[in-house]
């Protein structure tokens, strides 16, 4: 049970008050490559030479097997981002050109959540949208302290999932945690539950 600046709520009763949906992996290509290597999952005959050359960058966590940065493929300031970065070719042919982003946004448009938490590997940071209200900023600061995360405002958000949700009025934060091993699951679970309680 928590009582404080965020009000009084009981985490045990949270599930009866809200519906929590999880999408465990949005980039299955990268996940398989990181687990088993590119050739075990994508035999040489099935991938182009260009994809073979790019496989090192695919495994950075954001690109799919086609070499598209999925976190730059959302229909959120996409044209502006593309025009500001004319030499980059990893944003996709058009917004939501990739099956991964199109399927996610298609599902979300049918049943838009009230809040979203984007969990990624990174440098132990909580990122809040540039459009965050003063109340949301206080909550982000609290969550950062609770989860031992640095807190900062999002920058350069063109094409990102964070911007896509924010543009649609969904209360969103992005959490990057350096260690997503099973030993960290309790910490991650508690942090996600606290995020859900805030909504």
């Amino acid at each position: 049970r928590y009582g404080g600046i965020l009000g009084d709520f009981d985490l045990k009763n949270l599930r009866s008050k809200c519906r929590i949906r999880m999408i465990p992996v949005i980039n299955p290509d990268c996940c398989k490559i990181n687990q088993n290597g590119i050739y075990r999952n994508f035999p040489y005959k099935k991938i182009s030479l260009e994809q073979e050359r790019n496989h090192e960058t695919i495994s950075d966590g954001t690109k799919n097997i086609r070499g598209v940065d999925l976190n730059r493929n959302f229909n959120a300031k996409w044209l502006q981002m593309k025009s500001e970065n004319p030499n980059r070719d990893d944003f996709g042919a058009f917004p939501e050109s990739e099956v991964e982003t199109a399927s996610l946004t298609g599902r979300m448009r049918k049943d838009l959540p009230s809040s979203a938490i984007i969990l990624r590997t990174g440098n132990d940071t909580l990122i809040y949208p540039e459009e965050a209200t003063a109340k949301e900023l206080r909550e982000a600061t609290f969550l950062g302290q609770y989860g031992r995360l640095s807190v900062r405002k999002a920058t350069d958000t063109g094409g990102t999932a964070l911007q896509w949700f924010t543009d649609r009025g969904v209360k969103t934060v992005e959490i990057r945690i350096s260690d997503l091993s099973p030993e960290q699951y309790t910490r991650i679970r508690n942090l996600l539950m606290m995020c859900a309680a805030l909504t």
Side-chain angles (χ1 to χ4, degrees):
R1 192 165 188 88
Y2 176 84
I5 60 169
L6 302 175
D8 189 34
F9 54 81
D10 189 338
L11 291 177
K12 289 183 179 179
N13 294 331
L14 183 63
R15 286 193 303 176
S16 65
K17 296 178 181 176
C18 66
R19 183 172 46 140
I20 299 174
R21 292 177 288 176
M22 292 191 68
I23 301 171
V25 177
I26 193 173
N27 191 347
D29 292 345
C30 178
C31 185
K32 286 184 178 182
I33 289 168
N34 283 333
Q35 287 176 344
N36 304 308
I38 190 168
Y39 299 109
R40 185 168 174 183
N41 290 287
F42 303 97
Y44 182 79
K45 293 179 181 178
K46 293 184 180 179
I47 63 172
S48 68
L49 289 176
E50 181 181 355
Q51 289 166 337
E52 181 190 3
R53 286 194 299 271
N54 287 338
H55 86 271
E56 290 298 330
T57 59
I58 291 169
S59 63
D60 70 1
T62 59
K63 294 182 182 177
N64 65 6
I65 193 66
R66 289 164 30 96
V68 174
D69 185 340
L70 295 179
N71 201 43
R72 294 294 179 174
N73 189 240
F74 288 86
N75 190 12
K77 300 183 182 178
W78 189 90
L79 289 174
Q80 175 186 343
M81 173 196 60
K82 184 78 169 170
S83 65
E84 291 172 355
N85 300 274
N87 295 327
R88 284 189 62 175
D89 60 356
D90 60 346
F91 299 146
F94 51 88
E96 298 167 28
S97 61
E98 305 306 292
V99 67
E100 298 93 339
T101 48
S103 61
L104 172 65
T105 56
R107 178 67 182 90
M108 292 296 104
R109 284 185 179 101
K110 292 178 182 176
D111 189 11
L112 199 64
S114 60
S115 63
I117 302 160
I118 301 165
L119 181 64
R120 299 174 59 187
T121 56
N123 53 352
D124 291 319
T125 306
L126 184 144
I127 301 169
Y128 62 90
E130 190 174 10
E131 299 87 344
T133 64
K135 179 178 181 289
E136 290 168 344
L137 178 55
R138 287 195 301 273
E139 291 172 349
T141 303
F142 169 81
L143 284 171
Q145 293 171 348
Y146 175 83
R148 302 184 309 277
L149 306 167
S150 62
V151 179
R152 69 172 175 84
K153 180 170 64 175
T155 57
D156 188 25
T157 59
T160 64
L162 176 71
Q163 191 64 55
W164 189 90
F165 280 114
T166 302
D167 287 350
R168 285 152 184 81
V170 177
K171 183 176 178 179
T172 310
V173 293
E174 182 174 304
I175 297 174
R176 299 182 185 181
I177 296 180
S178 56
D179 181 7
L180 291 176
S181 66
E183 291 77 21
Q184 293 294 315
Y185 285 177
T186 300
R187 175 192 178 199
I188 294 166
R189 181 200 64 198
N190 291 343
L191 185 58
L192 294 179
M193 289 291 283
M194 188 63 77
C195 286
L198 287 172
T199 66

